[in-house]
């Protein structure tokens, strides 16, 4: 009888497994509530420092977490003022960097206006690593995310953050359908929604702003994977104007010259607290989103494919002549594909066979604009083989793509090299190289989403803090060159295919932040 019962149970379990409904696993959009904590000018007696305190406390009380982007100078001001209570309240959430010096000149863009690649990365690493270190020391928590402050952007900054294993929020760089991308070897987050920070202190302003947000949130989360819900500058919840008007148009006042912003009456903060609590309760009530911090989001997107197979490279190489341009795949940037093809062709020249699998290299793009026109009308197999060897050596020595390599016929640009390596790789995979290859012009860099990216960067130039006449052409050019590194960041999932669940489990939900 016991054996029969056990047999029946096993049969029942098998039937349930076979008849279980299979539903696609669709992770919820992630919403990160963010703040930019900046004002170190307004006198301590005005109570501006108390605002991030009660923002953090209300969120903790309502079961909502968030990310406080803090300017290094503001953090040091809180430390000097002895505001351990404010520091501790924010540290219970996530603390990110909002630049080391904020609006103090030179700003990031001003410092990078005429900088080259290597010296720009070095300057940004020195400047921002000091700010990250101060924030980690003051708040006692790791700091691994840097939020853009106004127009403070430069590709060298992003690359410096990548070297420090930090990510960049508020990036101008994205791909169609992807608001989380890899660029300059750092994770970049670009989707933002700004709640009306000037409305909290008055119900007649808050109600329409709140209703507008509720109307727009579903569409926003349908079209984005990770949304930064910018809940405001704590100072601006009370101040009528931005504190950093002191630094507009390149001004660099001394502390004695600072002018504090005009403030709403202190009693309006009672209303502001109530309205902010309403916003947080509404977010907490939504079951179609997941409230997160960048500290919990980044591990979901940080995994890259660390190997590159022969079939994957062949697909990329075969697509190049059809597309006629440089573009990323779901898993590999053009720079990674370039490195894989150069290494494979060089290996074929040594051993007579293409490697079945390679370790993925993550090189940066060139640091000078490659020529589009080829140096010669044709290239022999032997010339392409030698160029692959040169490229492989350059990649290992410099960690980036060469802008060009020299052949007997002249300079061959990185885009041309990519196209020729693609053609040769297809031939090698199918049998043997052709004796000679035609050499048409080819793009110097990938152009996917270029217009939108450049428009955003040029908009940063007009940030009122910047000095008049700022030239961003060098920053734009270096950004274009690093589009070689651009690819989607893939969200970590247990499976890409559907997963079996029982009928009883269909109504259950599971957080995408749980380990799977």
């Amino acid at each position: 009888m016991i054996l029969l019962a056990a047999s029946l149970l096993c049969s029942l379990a098998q039937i349930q497994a076979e008849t279980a409904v299979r539903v696609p696993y669709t992770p919820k959009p992630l919403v990160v509530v963010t703040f930019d904590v900046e004002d170190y000018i307004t006198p301590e007696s005005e109570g501006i420092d108390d605002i991030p305190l009660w923002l953090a406390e209300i969120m903790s009380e309502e079961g909502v977490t968030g990310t406080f982007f803090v300017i290094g100078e503001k953090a040091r001001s809180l430390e000097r003022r002895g505001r351990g209570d404010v520091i501790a309240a924010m540290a219970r959430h996530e603390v990110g960097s909002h630049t080391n010096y904020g609006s103090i000149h030179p700003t990031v863009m001003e410092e990078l206006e005429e900088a080259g690649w290597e010296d720009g990365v070095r300057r940004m690493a020195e400047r921002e690593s000091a700010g990250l270190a101060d924030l980690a020391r003051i708040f006692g928590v790791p700091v691994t995310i840097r939020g853009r402050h106004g127009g403070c952007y430069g590709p060298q900054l992003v690359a410096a953050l990548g070297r420090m294993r930090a990510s960049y929020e508020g990036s101008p760089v994205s791909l169609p359908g992807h608001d989380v991308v890899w660029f300059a070897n750092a994770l970049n987050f670009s989707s933002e929604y700004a709640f009306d920070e000037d409305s909290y202190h008055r119900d007649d302003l808050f109600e329409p702003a709140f209703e507008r947000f509720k109307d727009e949130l579903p569409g926003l989360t349908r079209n984005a994977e990770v949304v930064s819900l910018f809940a405001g500058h704590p100072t601006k919840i009370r101040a009528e104007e931005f504190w950093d008007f002191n630094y507009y148009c390149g001004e660099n006042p001394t502390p004695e010259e600072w002018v504090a912003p005009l403030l709403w009456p202190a009693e309006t903060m009672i209303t502001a607290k109530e309205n902010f609590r309403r916003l947080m309760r509404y977010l907490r009530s939504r079951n179609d989103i997941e409230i997160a911090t960048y500290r919990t989001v980044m591990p979901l997107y940080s995994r890259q494919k660390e190997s590159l197979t022969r079939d994957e490279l062949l697909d990329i190489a075969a697509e190049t002549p059809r597309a006629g341009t440089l573009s990323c795949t779901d898993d590999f940037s053009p720079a990674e594909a370039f490195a894989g093809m150069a290494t494979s062709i060089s290996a074929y020249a040594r051993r007579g066979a293409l490697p079945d699998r390679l370790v993925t290299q993550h090189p940066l793009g060139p640091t000078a604009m490659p020529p589009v026109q080829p140096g010669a009308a044709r290239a022999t197999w032997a010339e392409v083989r030698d160029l692959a060897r040169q490229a492989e050596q350059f990649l290992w020595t410099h960690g980036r793509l060469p802008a060009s390599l020299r052949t007997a016929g002249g300079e061959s640009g990185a885009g041309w090299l990519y196209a020729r390596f693609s053609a040769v790789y297809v031939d090698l995979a199918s049998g043997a190289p052709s004796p000679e290859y035609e050499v048409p012009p080819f793009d110097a860099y990938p152009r996917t989403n270029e217009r939108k990216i450049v428009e955003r960067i040029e908009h940063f130039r007009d940030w009122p803090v910047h000095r008049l006449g700022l030239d961003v052409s060098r920053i734009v050019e270096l950004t274009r060159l690093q589009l070689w590194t651009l690819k989607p960041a893939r969200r970590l999932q247990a499976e890409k295919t559907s997963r079996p669940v029982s009928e009883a489990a269909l109504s259950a939900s599971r957080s995408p932040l749980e380990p799977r």
Side-chain angles (χ1 to χ4, degrees):
M1 182 66 71
I2 294 174
L3 290 174
L4 176 61
S7 176
L8 288 172
L9 287 172
C10 288
S11 299
L12 179 61
Q14 183 177 358
I15 292 170
Q16 288 176 334
E18 291 173 351
T19 60
V21 178
R22 296 187 71 87
V23 296
Y25 167 60
T26 304
K28 296 178 183 179
L30 299 166
V31 175
V32 183
V33 182
T34 66
F35 307 88
D36 293 347
V37 187
E38 303 178 348
D39 182 0
Y40 50 83
I41 283 178
T42 302
E44 185 179 358
S45 59
E46 295 291 355
I48 290 294
D49 292 343
D50 293 327
I51 298 176
L53 172 64
W54 58 254
L55 289 170
E57 289 178 340
I58 288 173
M59 293 175 73
S60 295
E61 291 163 5
E62 297 299 331
V64 177
T65 189
T67 300
F68 289 82
F69 289 112
V70 186
I71 287 177
E73 196 68 13
K74 173 64 175 180
R76 292 184 287 270
S77 168
L78 289 171
E79 185 180 44
R80 288 192 300 270
R81 293 176 176 183
R83 294 307 304 264
D85 55 340
V86 181
I87 291 168
M90 286 192 281
R92 284 193 286 272
H93 296 272
E94 180 186 30
V95 174
S97 171
H98 201 45
T99 78
N100 192 12
Y101 298 113
S103 301
I104 298 173
H105 300 277
T107 64
V108 166
M109 265 191 157
E110 289 168 348
E111 189 160 348
L112 295 176
E113 180 179 19
E114 298 180 0
W117 181 258
E118 291 299 337
D119 63 319
V121 172
R122 175 184 52 77
R123 290 186 206 177
M124 291 298 102
E126 292 173 354
R127 175 184 178 125
E128 296 306 313
S129 63
L132 291 172
D134 273 352
L135 290 172
R137 175 183 58 80
I138 292 168
F139 287 91
V141 295
V143 181
T144 56
I145 182 77
R146 204 300 211 149
R148 178 175 51 78
H149 172 58
C152 292
Y153 162 80
Q156 302 100 312
L157 167 64
V158 181
L161 291 172
R163 291 183 184 181
M164 294 184 277
R165 299 186 179 276
S167 302
Y168 187 56
E169 183 272 338
S171 176
V173 180
S174 64
L175 283 166
H178 298 280
D179 49 83
V180 189
V181 298
W182 287 99
F183 172 71
N185 287 346
L187 274 178
N188 285 239
F189 300 90
S190 61
S191 183
E192 299 176 293
Y193 181 96
F195 192 85
D196 185 357
E197 61 188 5
D198 294 318
S199 71
Y200 289 111
H201 72 290
R202 278 175 46 182
D203 288 337
D204 62 319
L205 298 176
F206 180 79
E207 290 300 336
F210 192 26
E211 291 304 314
R212 183 167 58 251
F213 170 68
K214 289 190 284 188
D215 288 342
E216 294 173 350
L217 179 62
L220 182 69
T221 53
R222 273 197 305 270
N223 297 313
E225 295 178 75
V226 181
V227 178
S228 168
L229 169 57
F230 178 61
H233 300 81
T235 181
K236 199 65 172 55
I237 291 174
R238 180 153 179 229
E240 296 184 42
E241 51 194 344
F242 272 111
W243 65 278
D244 64 358
F245 67 82
N246 288 269
Y247 295 93
Y248 281 6
C249 301
E251 292 294 323
N252 235 9
T254 64
E256 294 73 26
E257 297 170 319
W258 287 341
V259 177
L262 297 174
L263 304 177
W264 303 115
E267 56 267 25
T268 62
M269 292 301 95
I270 298 172
T271 301
K273 291 178 184 179
E274 293 171 350
N275 285 329
F276 179 73
R277 189 180 295 275
R278 289 178 61 198
L279 177 62
M280 293 301 102
R281 282 183 176 170
Y282 172 76
L283 285 176
R284 190 73 179 87
S285 72
R286 302 285 307 204
N287 60 11
D288 58 340
I289 61 174
E290 193 75 32
I291 301 171
T293 65
Y294 286 105
R295 187 167 56 228
T296 56
V297 168
M298 285 187 288
L300 296 176
Y301 286 91
S302 292
R303 183 172 297 181
Q304 303 181 72
K305 290 198 74 172
E306 297 301 341
S307 65
L308 183 57
T309 68
R310 174 173 165 161
D311 286 345
E312 287 170 329
L313 267 178
L314 182 57
D315 287 344
I316 295 169
E319 177 62 22
T320 300
R322 288 196 293 265
T325 188
L326 296 157
S327 60
C328 62
T329 69
D330 284 345
D331 294 306
F332 303 105
S333 70
E336 291 164 348
F338 180 107
M341 287 188 286
T343 301
S344 294
I345 293 169
S346 185
Y348 181 95
R350 292 191 300 270
R351 298 193 294 268
L354 291 173
D356 290 331
R357 185 180 295 271
L358 297 169
V359 173
T360 307
Q361 298 178 56
H362 306 291
L364 292 168
T367 57
M369 190 60 70
V372 173
Q373 295 294 331
R378 293 181 177 277
T380 66
W381 150 242
E383 287 173 328
V384 176
R385 176 199 64 202
D386 291 343
L387 286 169
R389 288 171 173 168
Q390 290 183 56
E392 181 185 34
Q393 183 60 45
F394 191 96
L395 287 161
W396 283 108
T397 303
H398 301 284
R400 56 180 168 84
L401 270 58
S404 63
L405 295 174
R406 178 166 291 279
T407 65
E411 291 292 318
S412 301
W416 178 89
L417 291 168
Y418 186 98
R420 295 294 68 72
F421 291 165
S422 296
V424 170
Y425 192 92
V426 170
D427 286 349
L428 296 179
S430 61
S434 298
E436 196 172 60
Y437 293 87
E438 292 186 2
V439 186
F442 210 81
D443 285 344
Y445 57 88
R447 296 181 177 270
T448 306
N449 218 29
E450 175 191 10
R451 176 180 294 181
K452 180 180 178 181
I453 292 167
V454 170
E455 284 177 354
R456 288 201 69 192
I457 296 169
E458 291 177 340
H459 176 70
F460 295 160
R461 173 185 55 206
D462 301 325
W463 184 39
V465 171
H466 283 146
R467 59 173 173 75
L468 299 177
L470 179 67
D471 182 3
V472 299
S473 59
R474 181 66 172 153
I475 294 169
V476 167
E477 179 175 291
L478 289 173
T479 299
R480 286 185 167 121
L481 291 171
Q482 292 312 312
L483 294 180
W484 277 93
T485 68
L486 181 57
K487 67 177 181 180
R490 306 281 298 275
R491 184 162 171 174
L492 181 64
Q493 297 181 27
E495 303 178 348
K496 291 177 67 177
T497 57
S498 59
R499 57 189 175 95
V501 296
S502 66
E503 283 284 353
L506 282 175
S507 60
S509 62
R510 184 179 185 185
S511 165
L513 301 183
E514 291 176 14
R516 300 187 182 278

